[in-house]
Amino acid sequence: MQDLSLWLQKHLSITYVPGHEFFLSLHVLENPEHHVTRLEWAKKTLAALPRPLIEGLHYFSAMSSKFLDIMDVLVPSEEMYQHSVEAGLERIQALDASEFAEAMIGPVYHPQQINHWLQGRVDDGFEQLKPEHRELLRHPLSTKRAFLEFCYDYLPYFQAEERRIEPWLVRAVLEAQEKIATDPIRFLSQVHPRLHVYEDAIHFHKAKTYTFAYQQLAHIQLRVSTFVSPHLLLGIYGDHISVGFPVDVPGTTAKSAIPADFITKMKVFGDPTRTAILKTLLDHPYCTQQLADLHGISEPAVNKHLKLLVDAGFVWSERRGRYVFYRGITARLEQLAVDLHEFIDMPAPGIDLSDWRN
């Protein structure tokens, strides 16, 4: 590309999308230990939420990859949905059964396969889905109503924080726009340690490397957020992409710490029997008794291993009759590469690098 700076000045923008921040706040509430700069806010908010909202948080988080998939409804090119949380929720309200199911499950299955299940055609693949996904596919419209009720019930709790952080997010947008106008290459290069700007393409290093040639892109949109750190959050919408832009505000900046959930995940692989149990559960669901027989250990020992596997997010469980069956989540293991990248990116504990973008 002859003049990358001019191209970026024309095709790079930054904005605050309230609906985006709304769903990211839910993501943090479901996994607060991973977001150390938001941990205190999450603890206070979780303590204030009534039990039905806590139950809804866990249920819909399991359905939509901790609320990261449903955010793709707010695509960068559709400006009308970006001015308020309510506008984003109205966008979800307008989805039909198939669109809502696809938005909640994410791009894991082909739309034809999802429509096949929505029509009631149960197969082996359907039986291997998480219970939350099976319920969604059996009752998509009632699930959508329940999801929207949950979102509107949570909205006042988010709005209390939004009033505090919005001036800082707007300020971050204005400051970033000035930097884009003067030196867009340097600015974009400092958005995240795993985002690399080259003369002909932009690279994002996640579980795999995503490469976008500028000639194939119509727009790059940065979305400011106080909840996105430490993720390199990338949304792909045809020739439009969006990238989370972390913003620190008073009361959210904290000295670096190692996320507790990362330590829990690493503990899983510290025991060969536990690792073998996880490998077994990736192939087929089993109950405690079956796992004890397969691995030649006692049921109490199996339960101890299963507790850590569930806490680490590698396994889900479902009661069927008298037995509880466990199943490994392949996608969670694939996410380990991202967890390791984020661990490497993170400053050492005790070192304050809150101004690393300046």
Side-chain angles (χ1 to χ4, degrees), residues 16 18 21-26 28-29 38 40-57 85-86 89 148-166 226-227:
Y16 168 50
E21 190 76 335
F22 174 82
F23 287 118
L24 278 176
S25 74
L26 288 168
V28 169
L29 289 176
R38 274 304 196 165
E40 290 306 313
W41 170 84
K43 288 179 178 178
K44 292 179 182 178
T45 304
L46 288 169
L49 293 181
R51 180 176 295 275
L53 272 180
I54 296 291
E55 293 172 351
L57 174 73
V85 177
E86 291 88 346
L89 295 179
L148 288 170
E149 287 176 5
F150 161 78
C151 289
Y152 280 112
D153 287 344
Y154 166 68
L155 183 56
Y157 297 91
F158 170 76
Q159 288 174 328
E161 178 68 359
E162 184 185 30
R163 284 191 292 272
R164 189 178 75 87
I165 63 176
E166 187 174 50
T226 66
F227 293 101

Side-chain angles (χ1 to χ4, degrees), residues 13-15 170 172-182 187:
S13 67
I14 187 165
T15 188
V170 172
V173 169
L174 296 174
E175 291 177 348
Q177 287 172 340
E178 294 178 359
K179 295 178 181 179
I180 292 172
T182 56
F187 171 73

Side-chain angles (χ1 to χ4, degrees), residues 128-199:
Q128 300 304 320
L129 294 173
K130 292 195 296 184
E132 295 85 359
H133 286 164
R134 295 202 298 270
E135 180 66 18
L136 165 65
L137 292 165
R138 289 190 181 109
H139 308 288
L141 294 180
S142 61
T143 301
K144 184 178 76 170
R145 286 194 297 270
F147 177 69
L148 288 170
E149 287 176 5
F150 161 78
C151 289
Y152 280 112
D153 287 344
Y154 166 68
L155 183 56
Y157 297 91
F158 170 76
Q159 288 174 328
E161 178 68 359
E162 184 185 30
R163 284 191 292 272
R164 189 178 75 87
I165 63 176
E166 187 174 50
W168 300 94
L169 292 168
V170 172
R171 174 182 172 180
V173 169
L174 296 174
E175 291 177 348
Q177 287 172 340
E178 294 178 359
K179 295 178 181 179
I180 292 172
T182 56
D183 194 348
I185 297 177
R186 181 175 182 272
F187 171 73
L188 186 58
S189 298
Q190 295 178 331
V191 166
H192 196 282
R194 285 182 282 113
L195 185 162
H196 298 290
V197 179
Y198 297 100
E199 187 62 29

Side-chain angles (χ1 to χ4, degrees), residues 15-294:
T15 188
Y16 168 50
V17 182
H20 182 264
E21 190 76 335
F22 174 82
F23 287 118
L24 278 176
S25 74
L26 288 168
H27 171 79
V28 169
L29 289 176
E30 178 61 20
N31 192 23
E33 293 85 1
H34 193 72
H35 301 264
V36 293
T37 62
R38 274 304 196 165
L39 186 55
E40 290 306 313
W41 170 84
K43 288 179 178 178
K44 292 179 182 178
T45 304
L46 288 169
L49 293 181
R51 180 176 295 275
L53 272 180
I54 296 291
E55 293 172 351
L57 174 73
H58 299 325
Y59 181 72
F60 291 114
S61 174
M63 189 179 292
S64 184
S65 185
K66 298 183 179 178
F67 300 98
L68 295 179
D69 286 329
I70 190 62
M71 287 195 304
D72 283 341
V73 169
L74 308 174
V75 298
S77 58
E78 297 182 352
E79 297 290 339
M80 70 180 71
Y81 304 121
Q82 298 185 15
H83 302 302
S84 69
V85 177
E86 291 88 346
L89 295 179
E90 288 170 6
R91 170 73 177 98
I92 295 172
Q93 176 65 56
L95 299 176
D96 62 26
S98 178
E99 292 169 334
F100 179 70
E102 291 176 29
M104 292 296 281
I105 294 175
V108 179
Y109 303 100
H110 194 279
Q112 289 182 350
Q113 178 65 76
I114 292 179
N115 282 323
H116 180 89
W117 289 328
L118 283 169
Q119 293 167 11
R121 301 174 185 175
V122 176
D123 54 20
D124 290 341
F126 181 85
E127 292 300 328
Q128 300 304 320
L129 294 173
K130 292 195 296 184
E132 295 85 359
H133 286 164
R134 295 202 298 270
E135 180 66 18
L136 165 65
L137 292 165
R138 289 190 181 109
H139 308 288
L141 294 180
S142 61
T143 301
K144 184 178 76 170
R145 286 194 297 270
F147 177 69
L148 288 170
E149 287 176 5
F150 161 78
C151 289
Y152 280 112
D153 287 344
Y154 166 68
L155 183 56
Y157 297 91
F158 170 76
Q159 288 174 328
E161 178 68 359
E162 184 185 30
R163 284 191 292 272
R164 189 178 75 87
I165 63 176
E166 187 174 50
W168 300 94
L169 292 168
V170 172
R171 174 182 172 180
V173 169
L174 296 174
E175 291 177 348
Q177 287 172 340
E178 294 178 359
K179 295 178 181 179
I180 292 172
T182 56
D183 194 348
I185 297 177
R186 181 175 182 272
F187 171 73
L188 186 58
S189 298
Q190 295 178 331
V191 166
H192 196 282
R194 285 182 282 113
L195 185 162
H196 298 290
V197 179
Y198 297 100
E199 187 62 29
D200 59 343
I202 183 170
H203 293 205
F204 300 86
H205 299 289
K206 294 170 66 66
K208 66 176 184 180
T209 298
Y210 295 82
T211 300
F212 300 92
Y214 301 115
Q215 294 177 344
Q216 300 172 339
L217 291 176
H219 195 74
I220 301 173
Q221 183 191 72
L222 303 178
R223 298 183 176 186
V224 294
S225 171
T226 66
F227 293 101
V228 70
S229 180
H231 297 308
L232 173 55
L233 194 63
L234 172 66
I236 304 172
Y237 316 93
D239 59 0
H240 290 65
I241 61 174
S242 70
V243 186
F245 182 85
V247 174
D248 290 327
V249 302
T252 64
T253 304
K255 289 185 177 180
S256 176
I258 306 302
D261 68 315
F262 178 80
I263 302 299
T264 300
K265 290 174 183 176
M266 294 301 102
K267 285 181 180 178
V268 165
F269 304 99
D271 185 286
T273 301
R274 184 161 53 245
T275 305
I277 290 174
L278 175 58
K279 184 67 172 67
T280 300
L281 293 174
L282 293 174
D283 299 324
H284 191 277
Y286 292 101
C287 68
T288 301
Q289 180 179 332
Q290 292 171 315
L291 290 169
D293 291 339
L294 286 170

Side-chain angles (χ1 to χ4, degrees), residues 5-16:
S5 290
L6 289 176
W7 187 93
L8 288 174
Q9 287 169 350
K10 182 177 180 181
H11 298 278
L12 174 65
S13 67
I14 187 165
T15 188
Y16 168 50

